[in-house]
Amino acid sequence: MRIDRNTTHTTMAPSAAPEVDLNNDNKSQDEKRKISSEDSGSTMEGQTTSKAADAALQFVHEQAIEIDEETDKRIRRKIDWHILPWMCTLYLLQYMDKVTLSYAAVMGIKEDTHLTASQYSWTGSIFYLGYLAFEYPHNRLMQRFPVGKYVAANVIVWGAMLAATAGTTSFAGIMVVRFFLGAFEGAVTAGFVLMTSQWYRANEQTFRTAIWFSFNGWASIVGGALAYGIARGFRENTSITFEAWKALFIIFGLTTSLFGVGMFFFLADSPITAKWLSDEERRLAVERLRGNQQGLGSRVFKWYQVKETFTDIRTYLIFLFMVSLDIPNGGITVFFTQLIQGYGFTSEETLLISMPGGIVQLASNVGIPYMAYRLNQRYLSGCFGILCGIFGIALMAGLAMDDPLNKRIGQLVGYYMIIGNSATGLIIILGTISTNTAGYTKKTTVNAIALIGYCVGFLIGPQSFRDGPYYANAKYVMIGMWTVALMLMLALWFINKQENKRRDLQAAAEGLPPQPAGQEFLDLTDKENKYFRYAL
């Protein structure tokens, strides 16, 4: 029996499924219906459907209903218009906030706060120490509280932290603010992975992840333009005694906090609570998720799913992938303006020259995941993006081998390829965590581990950029790390392909019956659920 997780229609033949009593909270524990491996293909003995199951189970019919293609598109468009603008705008703001330090580096912050080269590297790394320290608590709390509200509350506080950077006068002050900035910003990507899985079908998730993540590219364009305008405006207006870099932090920080307030009050937490959907549309929006074999998420924390997370080889491959991919990204994020300025450009020219990288980033971050969506080959498309990034850094290193200033235009082309493809592999992996990790406790745990790996990479990355202004050694580190990331992504593709093949053969040999009604929403893990197949 082959399970197609990419179908538009949500249909299922009636089967002799066990009855699920949704009104059994007042019964004794012994009377509650238990789901056993015999009738559901799971090992969830002793867990009740009312507490252990997904919230969606109590909202939809046990038997699947058919959604015609036109209705499916209408519901998806409505979700897109009400959810993606919030996610895209916030991702733009968070990336602008993240690279504000890099803009400030060519606007005078290092001189005004008396930072040495080593201290500046640590102001980049400390952000990810805060991110790392709070990543698992964020994921645990997002299982306990509504994801949208939790993310919005963190956005408000991190905006205030960013604005507070304008008041720092020393290395110690910047380190404190940057630590808490990372701590609160760490909720965003983790929250967005969970939100994407709560609103979209499995085959829609990677491309939707690419859409909101691609606003990093818009942030490079908008952030570079704003930083240039502020820097030039302050330079030409000699009556202004306030430092330009301080204005940059205040403007970006307050904008972020105000956006967080709007997000808190107007972003829907799930299809069940969306006021802009009618009752029928809410049920259809949840029904669309049946094929994901995941639902909306259970708020019950399950230790057996944590244990399964740490016995699954995919967890370790994902963690190592995130570390190896993001060591280069961590360095580039903090040092990209100084890398460009090292070619002999002025501060204002550097800000302008950084902007085309955002255009390339937009094209790659949307184009490669769209290719993955059309070809139904997520991992291999991600490998292509990583190869493009390796080519870009190899081009920079090769042209600069004899003279660091040799063929500056060619080196800038290589730089744009690096910036454009630095996140494509990350987008694919975040999308597959959303799609390929079932069981809400397991999903939040894998999500946290992946983003801890992301933090470790970004924490190490700035420390590899110590041979300025040309950073030759850092370029070789980037080539090595991205090659490792490429191998790890290929390993994930191979393991999931072989596991799908094994499950198909086993299902055919054992004569696996049609899936019991409602089992999709029982919060089973991808290993428990015999009907689950991994997206490739």
Side-chain angles (χ1 to χ4, degrees):
M1 181 178 180
R2 184 73 173 91
I3 308 297
D4 185 3
R5 300 179 65 203
N6 297 320
T7 182
T8 300
H9 297 279
T10 311
T11 58
M12 184 184 299
S15 62
E19 290 187 6
V20 181
D21 185 355
L22 301 180
N23 300 304
N24 61 356
D25 285 341
N26 295 323
K27 297 179 181 180
S28 68
Q29 188 71 18
D30 293 336
E31 290 175 312
K32 292 182 179 179
R33 179 72 177 176
K34 297 179 181 180
I35 307 300
S36 68
S37 58
E38 181 179 355
D39 58 15
S40 68
S42 77
T43 57
M44 290 182 59
E45 294 187 18
Q47 297 201 47
T48 68
T49 58
S50 62
K51 289 188 176 182
D54 192 281
L57 182 60
Q58 301 186 37
F59 196 76
V60 296
H61 300 290
E62 288 183 33
Q63 294 289 348
I65 60 174
E66 182 174 339
I67 303 176
D68 64 81
E69 187 173 352
E70 186 58 37
T71 300
D72 186 69
K73 288 181 178 179
R74 175 172 60 83
I75 299 294
R76 186 176 64 233
R77 282 195 299 266
K78 202 164 186 178
I79 292 170
D80 284 342
W81 280 109
H82 285 85
I83 298 299
L84 284 180
W86 290 104
M87 300 176 78
C88 292
T89 305
L90 181 57
Y91 226 71
L92 180 146
L93 289 172
Q94 72 89 28
Y95 191 76
M96 282 172 51
D97 294 352
K98 191 181 296 182
V99 299
T100 301
L101 180 67
S102 192
Y103 293 138
V106 295
M107 295 170 70
I109 190 174
K110 292 197 294 184
E111 294 76 15
D112 291 345
T113 56
H114 313 291
L115 296 180
T116 65
S118 176
Q119 287 174 335
Y120 178 74
S121 294
W122 276 108
T123 62
S125 294
I126 193 68
F127 177 95
Y128 293 98
L129 278 175
Y131 205 117
L132 180 65
F134 282 77
E135 194 54 48
Y136 185 74
H138 281 320
N139 276 271
R140 182 68 186 93
L141 289 168
M142 282 187 284
Q143 185 175 11
R144 188 79 176 89
F145 300 106
V147 176
K149 296 289 187 295
Y150 183 82
V151 170
N154 280 271
V155 171
I156 296 168
V157 181
W158 115 48
M161 290 292 104
L162 186 70
T165 311
T168 59
T169 57
S170 65
F171 172 63
I174 293 177
M175 290 288 280
V176 171
V177 171
R178 293 281 296 175
F179 176 85
F180 286 105
L181 182 63
F184 290 107
E185 194 172 319
V188 176
T189 301
F192 278 12
V193 170
L194 299 178
M195 288 171 62
T196 304
S197 70
Q198 290 175 339
W199 288 97
Y200 292 102
R201 291 181 185 270
N203 67 317
E204 299 164 351
Q205 289 173 14
T206 297
F207 187 57
R208 284 345 186 255
T209 300
I211 291 174
W212 54 258
F213 205 105
S214 71
F215 273 69
N216 281 357
W218 283 111
S220 296
I221 299 168
V222 175
L226 288 174
Y228 171 79
I230 291 170
R232 183 169 180 176
F234 274 61
R235 177 178 58 81
E236 293 179 349
N237 193 336
T238 56
S239 64
I240 301 176
T241 58
F242 197 67
E243 299 298 334
W245 64 266
K246 294 183 179 181
L248 194 68
F249 279 111
I250 292 172
I251 292 169
F252 285 9
L254 293 181
T255 300
T256 298
S257 288
L258 289 173
F259 184 82
V261 172
M263 190 176 178
F264 186 89
F265 288 106
F266 298 110
L267 175 65
D269 290 301
S270 77
I272 293 176
T273 61
K275 295 179 180 179
W276 37 267
L277 292 174
S278 67
D279 288 342
E280 180 188 5
E281 287 172 335
R282 289 191 195 108
R283 294 188 182 279
L284 292 176
V286 175
E287 183 65 37
R288 275 173 28 89
L289 307 180
R290 190 183 289 269
N292 295 359
Q293 302 285 338
Q294 296 179 46
L296 299 176
S298 168
R299 292 192 178 181
V300 178
F301 185 78
K302 301 170 185 175
W303 279 108
Y304 84 94
Q305 292 192 9
V306 175
K307 180 179 179 181
E308 182 178 307
T309 299
F310 287 98
T311 59
D312 191 337
I313 190 174
R314 295 169 186 82
T315 303
Y316 300 96
L317 292 175
I318 290 170
F319 174 80
L320 293 173
F321 173 86
M322 297 294 267
V323 173
S324 57
L325 184 80
D326 288 318
I327 287 176
N329 291 344
I332 283 289
T333 299
V334 177
F335 283 90
F336 73 92
T337 54
Q338 292 173 82
L339 187 64
I340 296 171
Q341 196 174 39
Y343 293 132
F345 298 107
T346 67
S347 296
E348 292 174 14
E349 288 171 342
T350 296
L351 294 171
L352 288 175
I353 290 170
S354 70
M355 291 168 61
I359 298 173
V360 181
Q361 195 171 8
L362 272 170
S364 296
N365 288 0
V366 175
I368 290 178
Y370 182 73
M371 178 175 72
Y373 168 70
R374 298 298 298 177
L375 299 177
N376 200 25
Q377 289 291 343
R378 296 160 176 79
Y379 293 111
L380 296 183
S381 298
C383 289
F384 174 74
I386 295 172
L387 282 170
C388 290
I390 293 173
F391 178 81
I393 192 61
L395 179 64
M396 285 186 75
L399 292 176
M401 191 170 291
D402 296 324
D403 178 5
L405 298 179
N406 181 44
K407 294 183 170 53
R408 292 191 305 174
I409 301 302
Q411 290 194 56
L412 283 174
V413 170
Y415 164 79
Y416 293 140
M417 291 188 68
I418 295 167
I419 292 297
N421 292 282
S422 60
T424 50
L426 178 61
I427 290 169
I428 297 297
I429 290 298
L430 291 177
T432 54
I433 290 172
S434 175
T435 303
N436 284 345
T437 309
Y440 203 64
T441 299
K442 183 178 181 182
K443 186 190 294 288
T444 56
T445 306
V446 171
N447 201 20
I449 291 170
L451 291 170
I452 286 170
Y454 168 90
C455 292
V456 171
F458 269 85
L459 179 64
I460 297 171
Q463 305 306 317
S464 67
F465 276 68
R466 289 181 172 268
D467 56 331
Y470 306 119
Y471 304 104
N473 292 334
K475 293 170 186 174
Y476 295 123
V477 170
M478 292 174 68
I479 292 173
M481 289 296 97
W482 278 350
T483 301
V484 172
L486 177 68
M487 296 298 103
L488 290 167
M489 182 168 276
L490 285 172
L492 281 165
W493 169 78
F494 179 78
I495 287 171
N496 286 339
K497 184 177 181 181
Q498 292 300 111
E499 177 61 16
N500 284 348
K501 182 178 179 181
R502 186 193 69 80
R503 292 188 183 196
D504 288 343
L505 291 173
Q506 184 179 28
E510 296 178 357
L512 193 67
Q515 187 169 20
Q519 193 206 48
E520 304 93 339
F521 300 123
L522 291 181
D523 195 40
L524 306 182
T525 69
D526 47 284
K527 282 195 170 185
E528 285 182 290
N529 189 350
K530 293 181 180 179
Y531 299 88
F532 187 95
R533 297 296 182 271
Y534 295 97
L536 301 177

